[in-house]
């Protein structure tokens, strides 16, 4: 099986970074970040640079195919461009497997452990909980997940 692609977004592309993480792709994003540092990290960690900033094309000689200039201002169109350009096939099983805020893979949680941390209504109505080991956010399949899934399928991304 091919190793999944990893990305680093420039500091204009925070929303794109969140969408890529939502799809399960390991995606770094720092705001702000110097161009030089971004390129160094990309090379060191074997990441593809996604950039809205044409200035970064001066690093093309270093990055080669691992640099994509993002055309649109709209996050979902940006996501589509990345998926189409690299012929990615997002895996539904990896959807919501990574924290959209800090890029960490999420861990499954037994719901009894978090009973005191969540609203009783959520505890009663939800069964699948995951937690980010870094920021401690707890996620569950509530309506926002359904909404995001709907948005992705409307844009024919999943
Ligand atoms: Zn997190």
């Amino acid at each position: 099986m091919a190793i999944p692609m990893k990305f680093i977004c420039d500091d204009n592309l925070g929303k794109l970074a969140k969408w890529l993480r939502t799809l399960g792709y390991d995606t770094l994003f720092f705001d702000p970040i110097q161009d030089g540092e971004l390129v160094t990290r990309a090379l060191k960690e074997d990441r593809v640079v996604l950039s809205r900033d044409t200035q970064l094309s001066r690093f093309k000689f270093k990055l080669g195919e691992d640099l994509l200039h993002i055309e649109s201002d709209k996050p979902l169109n940006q996501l589509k461009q990345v998926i189409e350009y690299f012929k990615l096939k997002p895996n539904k099983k990896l959807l919501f497997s990574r924290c959209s805020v800090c890029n960490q893979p999420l861990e499954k949680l037994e719901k009894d452990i978090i009973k005191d941390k969540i609203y009783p209504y959520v505890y009663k109505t939800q069964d699948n909980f995951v937690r980010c080991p870094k920021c401690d956010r707890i996620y569950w399949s509530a309506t926002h997940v359904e909404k995001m899934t709907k948005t992705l399928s409307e844009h024919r991304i999943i």
Side-chain angles (χ1 to χ4, degrees):
M1 209 174 82
I3 298 165
M5 273 185 124
K6 296 189 290 181
F7 301 97
I8 184 164
C9 290
D10 80 10
D11 44 22
N12 301 298
L13 296 172
K15 285 192 175 139
L16 174 61
K18 283 192 171 179
W19 275 114
L20 284 164
R21 289 167 181 167
T22 299
L23 290 177
Y25 291 100
D26 180 346
T27 306
L28 293 183
F29 169 74
F30 305 98
D31 186 15
I33 187 167
Q34 301 281 335
D35 289 354
E37 195 197 330
L38 187 128
V39 171
T40 305
R41 283 198 83 129
L43 292 168
K44 208 170 108 190
E45 298 174 24
D46 206 13
R47 292 176 184 277
V48 170
V49 174
L50 303 175
S51 176
R52 200 54 202 114
D53 174 5
T54 48
Q55 293 286 318
L56 266 157
S57 62
R58 73 185 191 278
F59 292 102
K60 184 84 185 157
F61 75 99
K62 277 191 174 178
L63 293 165
E65 295 301 304
D66 290 340
L67 171 66
L68 179 63
H69 179 254
I70 298 295
E71 314 283 346
S72 174
D73 276 330
K74 297 196 174 78
L76 280 158
N77 291 344
Q78 297 170 344
L79 182 63
K80 263 198 115 157
Q81 188 194 348
V82 175
I83 287 171
E84 281 166 12
Y85 184 84
F86 293 108
K87 300 187 170 59
L88 302 177
K89 295 195 171 62
N91 184 342
K92 274 194 181 176
K93 282 186 193 150
L94 295 179
L95 214 59
F96 307 105
S97 62
R98 197 172 276 278
C99 180
S100 70
V101 180
C102 43
N103 195 39
Q104 287 288 313
L106 298 170
E107 295 170 345
K108 279 212 157 47
L109 272 186
E110 291 299 325
K111 76 176 195 176
D112 288 336
I113 296 173
I114 48 165
K115 194 171 178 179
D116 303 333
K117 287 193 188 177
I118 52 175
Y119 296 113
Y121 176 77
V122 174
Y123 179 83
K124 239 167 79 179
T125 55
Q126 299 292 322
D127 280 318
N128 297 311
F129 292 90
V130 285
R131 186 179 67 98
C132 171
K134 194 170 172 191
C135 71
D136 222 27
R137 273 186 181 77
I138 294 167
Y139 296 86
W140 60 87
S141 303
T143 44
H144 71 282
V145 172
E146 277 162 34
K147 210 176 131 201
M148 282 170 102
T149 310
K150 194 167 167 256
T151 305
L152 287 167
S153 71
E154 274 168 8
H155 285 76
R156 296 195 190 147
I157 290 164
I158 55 164

